Amino acid sequence: MSKLIPSFGKLLGGVTTTTKVAPIAVITNAKYSTKNEATFETKPYKLHKLEKGPASSATLTAEDALGMYEKLAVIRRIETASGNLYKEKSVRGFCHLYSGQEAVAVGMHSVMRDIDSLITAYRCHGWTYLMGVSVLGVLSELTGRRTGCSRGKGGSMHLYAKNFYGGNGIVGAQVPLGAGIAFAHKYRNDGGVCFALYGDGAANQGQIFEAYNMAKLWNLPCIFVCENNGYGMGTSVERSSASTDYYSRGDYIPGLWVDGMDVVTTREATRFAIDYCTSGKGPLVIEMETYRYSGHSMSDPGTSYRTRDEVQAVRQTRDPITSFKEKILSNGLATADQLKEIDTKIRKEVDEAVKMAKSEPEVGPEELAGDIYYKNLEPFIRGVQPNSPLQHYEAVARN
């Protein structure tokens, strides 16, 4: 963690702690904020083969701020619920939580357009929600129920939505697929870009560099996003990578390093990336430096290769939700009452979804051959035996 730990050290040892001004809700008796917008400084960026980077400041409206806060909070609560369901054995198989990394997804999604696509690895619950699936659709997929976004047949690692291609269980395999989706955008000339997300643990794979090469060779509108959370399973980045500057790994592809714990910064970086790709300049590599609070998966306590003090230090100094909450309160974009209302609403929604995710029935065996093709042209699908075909089944519209 040569890149990650020094930045934590600066925060803990090199910055003078100051007492924060009381939130705006304490200053005024108003229940709701009346301020329309505020301007925030973004965190510094690092550039590779770029003459200029994203904006150094950004303006948020009160509506934007409340919307982003709600999405951050929903993802955090979904993941808390997912962890609890796993511990209850209501979720079987693998389960990878996104807690701590929410600012990457929320900031990126806030400026994505309807035409844009995204593909990621198996830490995908939050992205599934942002791309249009309900809380129930996410949680009931984890529990294998019919109300899940994949009808309960995909589980934690295989969730999908419009323009969201998963949820992929094979480490790194989604990256060349993302380049292929970007090729489709260019072929159709629809103006869309594809975001191909992967972790620092996948960043050393050969297929990543093959995808870089083809994307640049054809100048595809592909934005490669490395979510560097410091550890590939239980291996820190400095033990696995000769170079931990993942944003420069594209070599001939320009790159950008971003503080992935700040939602305003990730938003502006993504806005810049979309503008870059849609101007015909080809692909871009972004490294989002972030942190996961949980272990790699639910079977990993996450404390054998890092200390509890390290995790706690990040929670106290860089938590993406707490820091954003302080920003919008102190700048008058929201009041404590407004945020409390949002938190209460989210808690109720997730709690109700958890109950349904445990009580809804599973799909029947007739869906064994269901939805294999989006537009199936043949009535039968080959079964286990060549002479025993299965009837193709198209499920009803789902969450």
Side-chain angles (χ1 to χ4, degrees), residues 150-151 153 160 365-384 389-395 398:
S150 299
R151 300 287 288 170
K153 298 189 291 183
Y160 308 94
E366 71 277 2
E367 290 203 29
L368 180 63
D371 295 326
I372 293 176
Y373 298 103
Y374 172 58
K375 292 181 179 179
N376 189 45
L377 302 179
E378 300 293 336
F380 295 101
I381 302 297
R382 176 172 173 166
V384 177
L390 299 170
Q391 179 77 40
H392 185 266
Y393 180 89
E394 290 188 9
R398 45 232 141 121

Side-chain angles (χ1 to χ4, degrees), residues 331-349:
N331 282 275
L333 292 181
T335 67
D337 284 335
Q338 283 177 289
L339 299 187
K340 186 176 180 180
E341 283 183 3
I342 291 173
D343 291 337
T344 300
K345 181 184 74 171
I346 292 170
R347 187 181 303 111
K348 181 180 179 182
E349 180 184 4

Side-chain angles (χ1 to χ4, degrees), residues 77-78 80-86 88-92 133-149 151-153 155-156 159 348-363 399:
R77 191 156 286 274
I78 284 176
T80 300
S82 300
N84 291 336
L85 285 167
Y86 189 93
E88 295 171 9
K89 297 185 177 180
S90 294
V91 175
R92 301 303 179 96
V133 175
S134 66
V135 174
L136 174 61
V138 174
L139 293 178
S140 54
E141 184 58 40
L142 269 61
T143 58
R145 310 298 172 137
R146 67 179 183 183
T147 45
C149 62
R151 300 287 288 170
K153 298 189 291 183
S156 173
L159 300 96
K348 181 180 179 182
E349 180 184 4
V350 175
D351 288 348
E352 290 176 353
V354 167
K355 292 177 184 177
M356 291 187 67
K358 293 194 289 186
S359 61
E360 285 288 323
E362 299 176 358
V363 296
N399 301 11

